[in-house]
Amino acid sequence: MDMDVKFMRLALKEAKKGKGYTHPNPAVGAVIVKNGKILGKGYHKKAGMPHAEREAIKDAESKGFDISGSTMYVTLEPCCHYGRTPPCTDAIVDRRIKRVVVATVDPNPQVSGKGIKVLKDRGIDVKVGVLEKEAVKLNEDFFVYVKEKRPFIHLKIAQSIDGRTATRTGSSKWITGENSRKLAHRLRKEATAVMVGTGTALSDNPALTVRNIPSKKQPLRVLIDKELKTPLNYKLFDSSAETVVFISDRADEKKVQMLSERENIKLVKLPLKEGKFSLDDILSELYHMEVVHLLVEGGSSLITQFLQEGIFDKLSLFVAPKIIGGDGIPSVGALGVLDVNEAVSLKIESIKKTGNDIYMEMYP
């Protein structure tokens, strides 16, 4: 195996340790190698904390290694500006690291190519593009957030084999098995925020928290409830995580007053357009709250609106080998498709069996 590929794989493995914890920053890993020996490893743990490059340098120096003349493998271009932390390019130059291998260029205009130029101008040998596809995939949410100026939209559906999310009475626990539910919690862990609409809140009383797997944080909970129909004693309003509620001027004023007094609840009032909120308005608000990755868990009408407007970046589908029948609640509502060629087309990225279910990752 090519040595650059080998060590970049290790850097990507490091980066994955921070996935879900670093927003609004990307997940980044770094490995320092000299004469074929790994001297230090590190990853970005959280926004405001040292970047991966500095973590790897700290790791190597804590073991007493001289890293001058070494090669650093990093999954994203080193930053060259002052943000919440100092430039990583300075640390690389100061330690006289001889060579830097970068998986992919940073899409952030403050960096994008400038970090690489700084290193080259200081006489450091720089190689770019090793395992680039894997590095971009790891931070697909960050790339969309920076380029599109909106959150990465990740739709999640759990359904029967005939496309139903519940029976006609609303019974839905549990369509999918334990393995699928555990994987769904991992998706929550990697998201900045998890969103549901009024229907799901009322029928399921979801907590929208990460459970059953270890996690150092809880995602922001986002509720779309224009009239604020959700009872105030429901789990979405408990103290286990922060919640943002999008309401309209139709919202119950007494409930608005009571919720506004709770520290972990934020109410955002938006105008209605033809009886609905504009997704652009919602996403703009979430972007300014630094929501990088938005996991949309339902229900059917909310998922349908994202599909109708073509605003989504990824679809995770859990399919259980159960048949509910035509009187069940469909996972997607009417899209107005008259010709099969007008259907929403998806590309299947991966399929795997999870317990007795099937899990698919798809992209537009």
Side-chain angles (χ1 to χ4, degrees), residues 218-229:
Q218 291 295 345
L220 178 70
R221 301 180 294 200
V222 180
L223 172 62
I224 311 297
D225 192 349
K226 53 181 181 281
E227 295 177 18
L228 202 47
K229 290 180 178 178

Side-chain angles (χ1 to χ4, degrees), residues 1-19:
M1 182 190 290
D2 181 290
M3 286 296 104
D4 286 346
V5 170
K6 174 187 173 181
F7 292 123
M8 188 60 79
R9 284 206 193 286
L10 290 177
L12 284 166
K13 191 174 178 182
E14 285 294 306
K16 286 172 185 174
K17 293 177 184 177
K19 188 65 183 169

